[in-house]
Amino acid sequence: MFSSTARRLWVSGAFRSALVVGGAGTVAAVALSPSSPANSAAAVVLDPNTAASSSYSTERTPTPALPRRSGAAPVPGEPTFTRSQVASNDGVEGRPMWVSYRGGVYDATEFRRIHPGGHIISQAAGADVSAFWDVWAHHHHSPKVGQYLKEIRIGALKEKDDEEATHDPYDSEPVRDANVQTIFMDRPYCSETPVEHLGSSYLTSPAALYVRNHAPVPDCAWEPEGESRESNIQHHEVVFEEGDAGASPTFTVADLQSRFGTVTVTSILQCAGNRAGEDIKATGNSGFTGSPLERITVGMLGNAQWTGVRLAEVLPALYPKECAAAAQHGGGEWHVVFEGADGYSGSTPLARILDPKNDCILATHMNGEPLSPDHGYPMRALLPGIAGARNVKWLQSISLSRVPVDAPWNEYYYKNRDGEQIQQLPLQSIITDTAQKEGTQLLEVRGLAYSGGSGNSIARVEVSSDDGKSWSEATIKTEEVKKDQSSKSFGWVRWTAEVPRTAQVCCRATDTEGKTQCEISPKQRGYLYNGWSKVKVEM
Ligand code: HEM
């Protein structure tokens, strides 16, 4: 039903209108100030001893078929409707909003107000939802969808439903390396780095870095035939949305780089749901329970050197009025909205991004190579210390708004216990490996630590083999920390410690402001778990 181009257009149209409807304050006059000097581009030098070698595939392959879910079971004696009756209930001008799916008719008039995916459900008003669900494939396996379908079924279609998809939106996904990824879902693709790979190098390779997609990888993740990946990056265009009035200027990456230069910074990238499995064990069920993501361990995390254009220079040049107002009032009311070519969007407070010390960039390279198809090629937002969900991939547009973007991943998913959009990651330490020291009763323990959103350095990591009654200080491998243009310490440090051998070891980190991890962190709807990392030891 959709060609890939049609899907792209649909998706992008969908979210443009989402911004118009929800983003009351999406605005801004855009002008390049002639007075901002260009920086010189920084060379990326990687240490071959610590940089995991490249290599991700740029091949494409179809994802194994996922059967479409069945609809709600027919109810004996239920009414039947024609397609044109469904179509006439299009949800506008006070009319009900009906949809159909696999021979069933559903009244979504009330449901659309509570739909976790938000108002984009209205795109299917009066029509069949199948093609939309093939893109947002979570509908095919989420148990919640089945429950709602049961509640809102009102009858059956008279005509036979067309159940055959003519286009599979997942028919050209990146080839991935299952040796360095534990796969949770393939539609949309979602994986973590197995713990044995996680701490094996200071920099995580693109092939091993976790992937959390919400939709198919868009076509822009591949260069056109005959063009190199590097030169295609240069032509990639980003629209800086103006909003209510006037034009929305488009800049190529080449424009941005020549105007603002590039920098290389080191930062972890972490999914807000990392350690979701441990969170369930420590604090009880969460939204992850029952989903394939309840198996997340510690690997939705990686550490890399990212190269790109500093947002703290781009935004004041393109949105001078708003940035000046934001600076005057602490920046509180403005948000930067990033929209990806896959239809995903997210926003982060402008104040965070305008502070140059936070090293927020529009990244084109990871560890010196063009971003991989799964990690946002040709350009992504890279906001150190901020949850992965806001680091929008396959970036196609940026806007400023007075309110956070009205998208499912801001309004329904990725919220903390107070119902606020999750932004900053917490202080974290993780045990990646334990081994008995030969000829002794000692255990060598290895792991990682980072301070999350604060960007503080790690002052110490401690390891305990008696459930926290006593602690031994670990040795931090400071010598391998990269000397690049990072303003703070958003990357991880690796550490080693020796403790008496027991059945379980745990660790905790303390940052330079004296903040220390507690044994069990408060429930945040299953996100952001940062209690002590506890690991069983084979005796
Ligand atoms: C009767 C029709 C529909 C029902 C019952 C339904 C139900 C749901 C439910 C229960 C979720 C949350 C799933 C979970 O988190 O486990 C969800 C998410 C979502 N829905 Fe729908 N939906 C419908 C139609 C649509 C349509 C037509 C679209 C698009 C045009 C759509 C777009 C989305 C999106 C984007 C999400 C977030 C998915 C993600 O990122 O994983 N939905 N929907």
Side-chain angles (χ1 to χ4, degrees):
M1 174 161 188
F2 285 137
S3 70
S4 4
T5 318
R7 175 170 65 70
R8 268 209 322 269
L9 289 174
W10 163 70
V11 149
S12 125
F15 280 77
R16 287 271 148 66
S17 44
L19 284 177
V20 172
V21 175
T26 308
V27 292
V30 182
L32 271 175
S33 146
S35 56
S36 320
N39 290 337
S40 59
V44 184
V45 183
L46 294 174
D47 174 353
N49 295 320
T50 49
S53 70
S54 148
S55 26
Y56 54 82
S57 168
T58 50
E59 301 294 301
R60 306 168 81 159
T61 184
T63 293
L66 176 85
R68 283 178 171 168
R69 74 175 317 127
S70 53
V75 180
E78 68 182 350
T80 55
F81 303 101
T82 60
R83 273 191 192 291
S84 69
Q85 277 174 299
V86 175
S88 60
N89 287 290
D90 57 5
V92 294
E93 293 172 0
R95 289 188 287 276
M97 185 187 126
W98 292 6
V99 296
S100 60
Y101 180 65
R102 298 193 75 171
V105 177
Y106 299 90
D107 184 346
T109 315
E110 293 305 317
F111 172 68
R112 73 177 150 173
R113 294 185 227 291
I114 57 158
H115 173 230
H119 46 75
I120 65 167
I121 189 179
S122 303
Q123 290 174 16
D128 193 282
V129 297
S130 307
F132 298 97
W133 286 6
D134 289 349
V135 172
W136 305 109
H138 196 40
H139 290 93
H140 289 310
H141 43 72
S142 162
K144 291 179 206 159
V145 173
Q147 286 158 21
Y148 282 122
L149 285 182
K150 228 163 116 184
E151 286 169 28
I152 65 175
R153 182 166 175 125
I154 53 167
L157 266 184
K158 276 202 175 109
E159 301 104 294
K160 194 180 165 321
D161 206 13
D162 172 23
E163 287 175 15
E164 293 305 314
T166 52
H167 170 69
D168 179 356
Y170 289 83
D171 67 0
S172 55
E173 290 279 286
V175 170
R176 287 131 180 166
D177 184 351
N179 293 316
V180 288
Q181 304 230 339
T182 303
I183 302 169
F184 301 123
M185 291 193 286
D186 46 29
R187 285 174 185 246
Y189 186 75
C190 187
S191 69
E192 71 174 359
T193 312
V195 68
E196 57 274 20
H197 286 283
L198 194 62
S200 63
S201 55
Y202 176 72
L203 297 179
T204 309
S205 77
L209 183 62
Y210 81 91
V211 179
R212 176 50 169 129
N213 292 343
H214 287 260
V217 174
D219 287 345
C220 71
W222 287 272
E223 67 282 14
E225 222 178 305
E227 178 145 29
S228 75
R229 276 182 90 64
E230 286 286 2
S231 82
N232 185 50
I233 291 177
Q234 297 295 310
H235 308 146
H236 178 67
E237 294 180 338
V238 180
V239 180
F240 289 82
E241 300 276 0
E242 188 171 13
D244 296 340
S248 293
T250 298
F251 292 97
T252 62
V253 170
D255 293 337
L256 293 170
Q257 288 184 348
S258 73
R259 178 84 197 169
F260 302 103
T262 59
V263 291
T264 295
V265 296
T266 304
S267 176
I268 56 103
L269 187 68
Q270 189 217 296
C271 176
N274 197 33
R275 304 187 70 193
E278 284 172 89
D279 175 72
I280 293 171
K281 229 165 103 188
T283 67
N285 286 339
S286 71
F288 288 88
T289 307
S291 98
L293 300 183
E294 71 181 351
R295 294 191 290 120
I296 297 172
T297 64
V298 292
M300 293 195 83
L301 167 68
N303 189 49
Q305 275 189 304
W306 307 92
T307 302
V309 183
R310 266 196 201 281
L311 275 161
E313 295 186 17
V314 175
L315 295 179
L318 300 189
Y319 300 96
K321 257 188 359 228
E322 292 69 24
C323 292
Q328 246 181 10
H329 303 106
E333 59 192 308
W334 291 95
H335 302 262
V336 184
V337 179
F338 299 99
E339 188 189 355
D342 58 338
Y344 183 92
S345 53
S347 60
T348 291
L350 176 62
R352 171 83 193 184
I353 293 176
L354 275 187
D355 183 343
K357 288 208 164 55
N358 289 330
D359 286 341
C360 296
I361 60 173
L362 300 177
T364 51
H365 289 71
M366 173 184 171
N367 298 348
E369 287 183 89
L371 297 172
S372 70
D374 261 329
H375 292 115
Y377 179 91
M379 183 176 248
R380 71 176 301 165
L382 200 285
L383 316 177
I386 299 289
R390 315 295 173 218
N391 289 244
V392 173
K393 304 192 275 193
W394 311 295
L395 194 67
Q396 68 177 18
S397 78
I398 294 181
S399 58
L400 294 194
S401 166
R402 283 187 188 274
V403 289
V405 64
D406 181 11
W409 312 281
N410 247 21
E411 293 299 312
Y412 181 80
Y413 302 96
Y414 303 119
K415 294 182 115 175
N416 65 17
R417 61 183 162 159
D418 302 319
E420 295 155 351
Q421 281 99 13
I422 289 172
Q423 296 290 342
Q424 295 198 38
L425 294 166
L427 173 68
Q428 193 67 268
S429 63
I430 286 167
I431 295 174
T432 54
D433 181 30
T434 61
Q436 183 165 1
K437 195 173 176 193
E438 228 178 289
T440 71
Q441 278 308 305
L442 291 175
L443 203 61
E444 286 180 328
V445 185
R446 288 180 276 272
L448 318 161
Y450 53 95
S451 63
S454 72
N456 291 330
S457 299
I458 294 296
R460 64 178 179 279
V461 176
E462 296 160 294
V463 179
S464 172
S465 54
D466 56 11
D467 287 330
K469 289 185 198 71
S470 62
W471 296 92
S472 306
E473 193 160 337
T475 305
I476 295 177
K477 298 185 181 181
T478 42
E479 67 286 356
E480 66 184 11
V481 171
K482 297 291 170 202
K483 308 248 176 315
D484 53 22
Q485 286 140 308
S486 298
S487 311
K488 291 190 187 175
S489 301
F490 288 112
W492 70 29
V493 288
R494 296 194 297 165
W495 51 263
T496 56
E498 279 183 8
V499 290
R501 184 163 177 251
T502 45
Q504 178 172 283
V505 284
C506 57
C507 72
R508 66 178 184 193
T510 301
D511 72 7
T512 44
E513 277 181 354
K515 201 186 285 169
T516 303
Q517 287 172 263
C518 54
E519 182 172 3
I520 294 175
S521 61
K523 191 93 182 158
Q524 301 276 6
R525 302 187 177 191
Y527 297 113
L528 304 181
Y529 187 71
N530 77 327
W532 299 346
S533 172
K534 297 182 180 181
V535 166
K536 298 255 182 272
V537 178
E538 270 181 39
M539 296 299 281

